[in-house]
Amino acid sequence: MTIAMMMGNFALIKDGQVINTIVWDGDEIDFGEGVTSVELPANVQVEAGYSYANGFFTAPPLTADQIAAQNAQKLADNLSQKTALMDFSSERISVLQDAVDLDMATDAETAALPLWKKYRVLLSRIDANTSDDVVWPEAPSS
């Protein structure tokens, strides 16, 4: 197929499958028998292997290895997030507890200490050893 084009990103389609993507800055080009091109909007990211039908691109299904890798990454992210939140809350509690113990705490610090302790207990009860989305408790505002 020969078509007139302007500079842009294009997907090359054959038999309903994206076979390549290109940036083209030319007047006319023949992509080969049975190959058509579709200009990609700026917010659309596709690659070879995607399907194309009725104006829409569809990503290929994930392989078992890709799913396993995503799950492993999500698990690692959850565990890392829990550790970071626990560390932050423990540091906050430590300073607040010092201020209370030394009779140096402001009213706001005295009020904040039990809130941070409750938050840390709620965090400790979260099972982050999962690849599911975790609903984290909300940290105190003080």
Side-chain angles (χ1 to χ4, degrees):
M1 174 180 183
T2 303
I3 59 173
M5 292 189 215
M6 302 172 92
M7 178 70 165
N9 294 321
F10 293 83
L12 302 183
I13 314 292
K14 184 172 185 174
D15 299 326
Q17 295 289 311
V18 176
I19 58 171
N20 204 352
T21 57
I22 61 170
V23 176
W24 182 252
D25 184 14
D27 292 330
E28 292 184 12
I29 188 167
D30 183 353
F31 295 116
E33 188 174 327
V35 178
T36 59
S37 66
V38 175
E39 187 168 9
L40 298 171
N43 62 343
V44 174
Q45 298 288 325
V46 301
E47 56 189 51
Y50 274 59
S51 298
Y52 180 76
N54 302 318
F56 294 98
F57 292 96
T58 305
L62 296 177
T63 66
D65 287 343
Q66 289 170 320
I67 292 170
Q70 281 184 343
N71 287 341
Q73 184 61 53
K74 184 64 175 173
L75 169 67
D77 291 348
N78 286 342
L79 293 171
S80 177
Q81 179 73 6
K82 182 174 180 176
T83 298
L85 293 172
M86 288 292 290
D87 289 349
F88 180 78
S89 63
S90 291
E91 289 174 24
R92 187 75 178 116
I93 290 166
S94 178
V95 172
L96 291 170
Q97 189 65 61
D98 288 348
V100 169
D101 291 348
L102 296 170
D103 291 325
M104 297 173 64
T106 65
D107 290 343
E109 291 169 328
T110 301
L113 181 59
L115 299 176
W116 278 100
K117 286 183 175 183
K118 179 179 178 182
Y119 172 71
R120 185 171 60 179
V121 168
L122 293 173
L123 279 175
S124 74
R125 293 179 178 166
I126 296 286
D127 179 9
N129 196 22
T130 179
S131 60
D132 295 333
D133 289 335
V134 173
V135 178
W136 302 102
E138 189 173 329
S141 58
S142 53

